[in-house]
Amino acid sequence: MTLIELEALASEKLSINNEESRTSFLRLLNTGLLVNVIDNLLGNEKELNEVASRSYYHNNGFLKVVLIEKRPKYSVRFHIWPEELFQAPDVHNHPWDMTGLVLNGSYEWPIYSLDQISEGSESFDLFECRYLEDYSGHSFHDLDKVTLNQIDKLSFQQGDIFQLSQTQYHSVRKENSQPAESIVITGDSVGLSANVITNRKIMCSSISKNSSVESSFLQDKLSSFLERRLS
């Protein structure tokens, strides 16, 4: 299946974009359809270049391969996590609900609540992350100082389907050195901004554009994924 054919199928299956339709589409992809799409993508230089042009390393340290970009309606993204012990630097939420499927490996999401700072508590900076209308970049804007409280931890492994509400604050932690990949479908966007909580130094108000990856680099990453899926 070509990427154009996948887009047509996604538009049909996600015409009503809710948890049920996203889960159903992920299960369909996991029957071998995704492997077929990736295999065809590797043999199609034009489509590979298009996907590479909108794919980039996220601030939270993973490679985001944007297979289909139809936001604010939906997007289909392939996430590739580092093959090492990993902790995302920022806690964040999203302007959309999302549903995902773990294709390889395992990792976990610490889930947090935010509180006002109190005497003796560790404080973090709360920023608003504003996306450009075409999602090709973003800017940060200082909001407040807050305290983080971990209230849950969700663990995922190969084959798991997960749901995340746009209101939930989470991070990502991987306590192993194994490859990990997931496919994620975003829900309808409720706006063009999310919140980020961090102690790292952030430049506010300036626009940061996504830096696209080279198609040869993407080809290597996707080829490694196929080798693991087909072995």
Side-chain angles (χ1 to χ4, degrees), residues 49-65:
N49 289 339
E50 288 176 358
V51 172
S53 71
R54 57 179 179 253
S55 301
Y56 59 96
Y57 266 101
H58 192 277
N59 286 336
N60 278 326
F62 66 94
L63 176 60
K64 180 187 288 187
V65 181

Side-chain angles (χ1 to χ4, degrees), residues 22-30 99-101 161 183 185:
R22 293 191 298 269
T23 299
S24 176
F25 190 48
L26 285 171
R27 286 177 174 152
L28 177 60
L29 289 172
N30 202 34
T99 305
L101 166 68
I161 290 180
I183 188 88
I185 302 174

